Amino acid sequence: MERPGHILVIRLSAMGDVAMMVPVLKAFSEKYPDVKITLLTRGFFVPLFKDLQN
């Protein structure tokens, strides 16, 4: 099966739910560095994701 080159992640719910995505996205981007991740979330959650490279 072919791997996608770009993934859209949408998290707009509670802060805890959004914060739990950080280690998941970090692990995913380390395992698949060639896959671009676009994250759609509320503006005040952006600082949670500032250390993610992808």
Side-chain angles (χ1 to χ4, degrees):
M1 180 165 58
E2 188 174 332
R3 209 174 21 215
H6 189 183
I7 295 175
L8 172 62
V9 177
I10 302 172
R11 291 304 308 187
L12 301 170
S13 57
M15 182 181 275
D17 293 342
V18 174
M20 288 191 311
M21 288 298 302
V22 175
V24 172
L25 293 175
K26 183 177 181 187
F28 182 90
S29 64
E30 288 173 357
K31 183 161 176 110
Y32 303 104
D34 56 327
V35 177
K36 180 179 178 181
I37 300 171
T38 299
L39 177 66
L40 174 63
T41 192
R42 298 181 191 275
F44 56 92
F45 293 143
V46 171
L48 294 172
F49 300 96
K50 68 178 171 62
D51 293 332
L52 294 178
Q53 298 300 315
N54 194 3

